[in-house]
Amino acid sequence: MAKKLSILASAFPDGVDCRDYMLAYLVIREGSKWVDVIRLEAGRTATIGRASTNKVTITDDRASRFHAEVFFSEEEWVLRDLESRNGTLVNGQPISGDYQLVVNDTIRIANCQLSFVEELSSAFPDSFEADTGVLREHLGSDTNDFLEDSNVLDSISVATITHRQGQTDLLKRKDVVKPDSQMGQSVANLCSLAFDIAGCGDEQEIAKASLKGIFNSTNAHAAAVLLAPYDIEGKVTGVDLRVIESSVLKGVSKYHRVTSFLASTVLTEGEAVLAADIGDDSKIASRDSQGEIASTSIICAPIRYDNRIVGLLHAYSTDGENSLTPADLEFALALSDIIGLALRSLSRTRELAEDLSLSRSEIQQLRSQLEAESEIIGSSPALERVKQDIVQAAPSRATVLIRGESGVGKELIARAVHYSSPRSNGPFVCMNCAALSESLLESELFGHEKGAFTGATDRKVGKFEAADHGTIMLDEIGEMSPSVQAKFLRVLEGHPFERVGGNQPIEVDVRVIAATNRDLEVAVAEGRFRRDLYFRLNVVEILVPPLRKRSEDIELLAYFFLDRFREETGRKITGFSEAAILQLQQYRWPGNVRELKNMVERAVVLCRSTQIEVVDLSMSNLATPDTSEMQPSHDTFKPMSLEDMERLHISKTLAYHDWNKSRTASVLGIERSTLDRKLKRYDIQRPGS
């Protein structure tokens, strides 16, 4: 019987609150079997959705790209639905907003079922027999006490890595290799492969050529080229590898990813490994959908360049009679070195291209990737400029200032910048600076120590710490108080900060994206916003146009929201009438995209036919920010010259001030003598004189 896996307070040093290291788990189930365990850590948000950048990826079209997220807040684990199309169920009931998770809650998203537990033993029946390979793969050292104290190790046969290789003999001088030997044939194959790979123009082409070569020269039945996640300094940050290309031979159903244990072994030790007679060891080989391990031997080789590991070449055999051999290990290691050289050449070519400016094809490729990672809907010239700004800003570490009216989608733009950047695997933390008072805002940004103020019963990690190695978005930055602005500026300049009530300096690596719908230049002139902070934030500016200035996108957005709400409500609505579309395009949209979304949702709910008509649309009488004063209509407007306009304006200003010339000159911003000359020039006389 599995013992409890718990983190005891006694395991922590004196003075350290074990709640700060609170761990929980999401156990992913398929039927009665569990297939994966995701560790949840306080201070790091775990996102769930269809996009590959999520912590939990769901391969089901019913799941949104970014469907939900789980995070630790105020001593509770919280599940938040991210306005998904089909919603999130907890214990069979849909949730809205934030939901505080309770042990053994069952979360349902599309075809994926997840159980929330704080102790793994509560996730399984008493008769569960632990699979040590999988537990170690997901939980690492947290399972050691459990495994050492239990009897399960005695009943499980663990596969071993039979060969390790740091360097290959196949890339030695050709006079060392006999041309008629097996090694000579492998060298010939590698030479041909090297020429093929050298002519490839991107990572995927390199991977395809490499996989073709490994099938031709080894006993592998399935293989893949994977790249490791890395930070801004090029250091590998985990084992959540990205598959560049995978392939299988005829008769093999699909490729199964390398396990975290095997990937970690190769990435850490820098040696290629060969494991034979895998049997039932899931720390070496992945299980299929039925829980079976089909592979019989596995090779995993590091891909290196510039003295660092950037990825893995993974191959395995499914035939016990034709297992992978040490010679295959030699070939895979040599091929991985060639792949590394090709990736280095490709990387340097791209760096040069960025210095000279991006080519059209590269920009289009990045735009496609951007649209795949975010729901930026539209093709108007104004929105295309925004997309180009995102593509150019995302790869850098520069601070970004997003400006635009309320409701235009500034947070969506910020997410697009984050998920298109090298920090995409890190957390994305969003905070509204206008929603909190000055004292609470400082506490939320930088955290606080226990007892720092009334109500501070525990130490709290701030948003900056939570966003370490990721991105923080500060919405409504113009509402930040002057005292918080000063502390915030120091953090932007790279200085460490302290929690409220604390004295321990904290350093973080965070990219800042600020957003505002206010005119910061006016706020600076009025002394409400620090001038130095304004210039520090305004490094890269992205101006998001209001919806009324990109009318070409209105119909696309309307149908996008219609599809979402039609699927949620089950209403059989075919679309909009021509008159309704015309009305949407002529409306001024003071609430921008947010208003359009709410309007479509209301129309879907209240529509009484199969088509949305003009009567189903609820238009507001609010003025748009740039038309707060009534504009003259075309029926009353009369064209006139600038001289006539000036003459009329001076006459009306004089009449308003009862022909007090000194006051009139002051209002007009001119000298009294200048006003006299203009009166003489335009022959303006006081009535009755």
Side-chain angles (χ1 to χ4, degrees), residues 428-634:
F428 176 81
V429 178
C430 184
M431 180 177 174
N432 190 332
C433 298
L436 300 170
S437 64
E438 177 180 342
S439 59
L440 288 178
L441 177 59
E442 184 176 3
S443 172
E444 285 292 319
L445 281 176
F446 307 112
H448 63 252
E449 297 290 349
K450 181 177 180 180
F453 50 84
T454 304
T457 57
D458 292 289
R459 190 176 73 180
K460 180 177 181 179
V461 173
K463 299 295 185 184
F464 266 97
E465 285 184 80
D468 193 20
H469 293 96
T471 304
I472 185 171
M473 179 201 174
L474 300 177
D475 200 4
E476 304 300 342
I477 191 71
E479 306 299 328
M480 187 178 288
S481 67
S483 61
V484 180
Q485 289 178 31
K487 191 170 182 179
F488 177 49
L489 178 61
R490 283 187 54 81
V491 179
L492 280 183
E493 296 291 350
H495 297 285
F497 62 90
E498 298 172 354
R499 299 189 187 97
V500 177
N503 54 16
Q504 180 182 359
I506 301 171
E507 294 187 14
V508 292
D509 177 17
V510 174
R511 183 182 191 176
V512 174
I513 299 179
T516 182
N517 60 2
R518 294 187 177 274
D519 191 335
L520 291 184
E521 289 87 347
V522 173
V524 170
E526 295 176 352
R528 292 183 290 106
F529 199 81
R530 292 179 64 102
R531 182 183 299 271
D532 48 2
L533 178 57
Y534 168 72
F535 288 116
R536 184 62 182 82
L537 288 174
N538 196 21
V539 178
V540 176
E541 183 180 78
I542 298 179
L543 183 62
V544 187
L547 187 56
R548 61 185 171 276
K549 292 187 178 180
R550 50 186 184 102
S551 58
E552 305 94 326
D553 299 334
I554 292 176
E555 185 173 356
L556 288 173
L557 284 165
Y559 273 98
F560 172 78
F561 292 129
L562 174 62
D563 291 340
R564 171 185 292 184
F565 297 123
R566 181 169 52 190
E567 190 173 353
E568 288 182 2
T569 60
R571 297 292 305 276
K572 296 181 179 180
I573 299 175
T574 58
F576 299 85
S577 67
E578 293 185 3
I581 291 294
L582 182 61
Q583 182 79 357
L584 292 175
Q585 292 176 335
Q586 291 178 345
Y587 183 52
R588 295 291 293 169
W589 299 109
N592 291 293
V593 180
R594 183 186 293 121
E595 183 183 7
L596 174 59
K597 174 187 173 183
N598 295 336
M599 184 183 295
V600 173
E601 183 177 14
R602 177 184 181 279
V604 169
V605 173
L606 301 180
C607 179
R608 297 183 179 181
S609 65
T610 59
Q611 192 177 51
I612 295 178
E613 303 289 347
V614 174
V615 294
D616 299 316
L617 304 175
S618 176
M619 304 294 183
S620 168
N621 293 323
L622 294 174
T624 54
D626 61 349
T627 57
S628 55
E629 296 183 6
M630 187 62 67
Q631 300 294 325
S633 65
H634 291 290

Side-chain angles (χ1 to χ4, degrees), residues 158-163 262 273-281 284 295-299 317 320 323-326:
V158 181
T160 58
I161 295 172
T162 57
H163 291 80
L262 190 57
V273 299
L274 166 63
D277 299 323
I278 294 171
D280 245 359
D281 194 343
I284 300 292
S295 50
T296 59
S297 55
I298 286 181
I299 283 176
S317 169
S323 297
L324 296 168
T325 66

Side-chain angles (χ1 to χ4, degrees), residues 5 29 49 139 182 234 257 264 348 411 413 427 451 476 534 600-601 646 651 672 674 676 684:
L5 294 173
R29 298 177 181 273
L139 307 178
Q182 181 181 355
R257 292 178 63 99
S264 177
R348 291 179 176 176
E411 183 176 345
I413 300 300
E476 304 300 342
Y534 168 72
V600 173
E601 183 177 14
E646 187 177 40
S651 299
R672 167 68 184 271
T674 303
D676 288 333
I684 300 175

Side-chain angles (χ1 to χ4, degrees), residues 361-375:
S361 61
E362 287 172 326
I363 290 177
Q364 186 59 42
Q365 180 182 359
L366 289 172
R367 285 178 178 172
S368 300
Q369 178 183 351
L370 170 65
E371 292 173 357
E373 296 289 350
S374 61
E375 294 179 342

